[in-house]
Amino acid sequence: MPLRLPASLLAFALLAGCAATPLRHPEVVSSPAAPATVAANDNLNAVAWTQTAIEHDLIYLQTYRDAEAGLLAALQDQGWDALAKDDRAAPLRGLKPAVVLDIDETVLDNSPYQARLVKSGGEYNEADWAAWCKEEAARALPGAVAFTRFAARHGIAVIYISNRAKDLDQATLANLRKAGLPVSGPEAFLGLGTFVEGCEQIGTEKGCRRQLVSRKYRVLMQFGDQIGDFVTVLANNAAGRHRAMAPYMDWIGRRWFVLPNPTYGSWEPALFNNDWSAPPAERRRQKIDALRSE
Ligand SMILES: [Mg+2]
């Protein structure tokens, strides 16, 4: 589940795939039906789609393939940069090329963690989440390994900016490697809590870490399942989210590649004013109120 944190923690982490990246997750497909005693859970369809719908896997595959098809042209174009203007803290000239990817639900599939919550009736909490991360069992999402290895083979640094806590770095790096994703070294993971000199951290926003990357790299492409993976979101409501993305709509599918996550993310608290302290029934009511019926 998504972090029950301030709007900013939106960008936390969750979902995965595998090095050989099978399109389906056989153990999920063959699992026995959930007992009838499992209580209703608003995340059931989202998690079921994420884990079992081949459409989910195909979206990831086509996204990473599309990105790969444009990567070498971006590499050749010395003026090409995929950082938002507020994140570009140093001029491009002479910088090494990189791609920047979120981790959870972008390259790693944490849906088993969420499936456990659906089955147990539990809610996301940091302790359970950290324990899941320390299992180092998340698989790579379809297309992610091929794309990142392609980038690495062409001398492009692969950098992961994640809102996994910095103290989960060892488990996260190990999981990435087990899943077949390239990890050049510990500096490839910029987790939550990374100190960036000269940059004032805003909540869990990733802007400072993107600025840190901008000092060393020309960023060819960015990948994420949350808009906070691309821009700093100052107002997490419908208008604020559109406003944050508006200047960059031409970059979608060219410099920025957005992946689907119906199971959690900043889109959800935006529906109830980011107030995780509201009772679940109240949050649910506000989500229903947000539905469009015509
Ligand atoms: Mg994510």
Side-chain angles (χ1 to χ4, degrees):
M1 304 289 301
L3 302 179
R4 299 308 160 51
L5 301 170
S8 34
L9 219 198
L10 334 166
F12 46 32
L14 301 178
L15 304 169
C18 68
T21 312
L23 279 180
R24 301 302 295 266
H25 299 164
E27 80 289 359
V28 172
V29 173
S30 61
S31 293
T37 51
V38 172
N41 185 302
D42 285 350
N43 223 14
L44 173 58
N45 263 13
V47 177
W49 181 83
T50 296
Q51 290 200 327
T52 68
I54 193 168
E55 291 87 347
H56 165 273
D57 293 354
L58 299 180
I59 292 169
Y60 278 79
L61 199 54
Q62 76 185 6
T63 300
Y64 280 115
R65 283 182 175 171
D66 282 351
E68 183 174 315
L71 189 60
L72 297 185
L75 178 63
Q76 295 303 319
D77 181 349
Q78 296 300 316
W80 183 281
D81 185 48
L83 285 181
K85 63 176 171 27
D86 291 344
D87 294 332
R88 168 54 53 205
L92 291 180
R93 184 184 298 270
L95 298 181
K96 293 175 288 187
V99 289
V100 170
L101 304 101
D102 168 54
I103 292 178
D104 296 304
E105 300 13 289
T106 296
V107 298
L108 289 183
D109 171 8
N110 303 286
S111 63
Y113 172 69
Q114 298 199 65
R116 294 175 192 181
L117 295 178
V118 169
K119 291 187 176 189
S120 69
E123 290 209 326
Y124 169 88
N125 67 78
E126 283 188 54
D128 283 354
W129 168 248
W132 159 254
C133 292
K134 289 175 182 173
E135 289 181 32
E136 303 170 7
R139 301 174 181 187
L141 282 153
V145 169
F147 172 79
T148 50
R149 287 185 174 181
F150 178 83
R153 273 203 312 277
H154 288 85
I156 298 166
V158 177
I159 296 170
Y160 305 95
I161 299 183
S162 168
N163 273 356
R164 286 191 179 199
K166 203 168 179 304
D167 64 5
L168 289 170
D169 58 348
Q170 292 308 312
T172 300
L173 291 166
N175 197 156
L176 290 168
R177 289 187 173 110
K178 285 179 186 177
L181 291 147
V183 176
S184 59
E187 70 285 352
F189 169 71
L190 299 176
L192 190 61
T194 300
F195 174 71
V196 180
E197 194 171 348
C199 186
E200 187 175 347
Q201 179 71 31
I202 302 172
T204 56
E205 294 292 330
K206 295 180 170 180
C208 285
R209 284 168 280 168
R210 286 190 291 261
Q211 286 186 36
L212 182 63
V213 169
S214 85
R215 295 172 190 169
K216 282 181 65 178
Y217 298 99
R218 177 167 68 91
V219 176
L220 306 183
M221 293 177 175
Q222 296 199 80
F223 297 79
D225 66 304
Q226 316 270 325
I227 61 170
D229 295 328
F230 306 93
V231 290
T232 295
V233 181
L234 297 175
N236 191 49
N237 52 47
R241 291 164 59 78
H242 281 88
R243 199 161 51 238
M245 293 302 288
Y248 302 102
M249 295 304 282
D250 284 349
W251 287 14
I252 302 302
R254 297 179 180 124
R255 302 183 195 204
W256 293 358
F257 294 84
V258 187
L259 294 156
N261 184 0
T263 65
Y264 69 89
S266 54
W267 62 269
E268 186 191 6
L271 302 180
F272 49 81
N273 201 26
N274 306 293
D275 183 9
W276 286 110
S277 69
E282 172 59 17
R283 283 185 257 141
R284 192 164 193 272
R285 186 191 65 74
Q286 293 194 48
K287 285 194 272 188
I288 291 172
D289 286 349
L291 298 178
R292 199 163 33 81
S293 52
E294 59 183 29

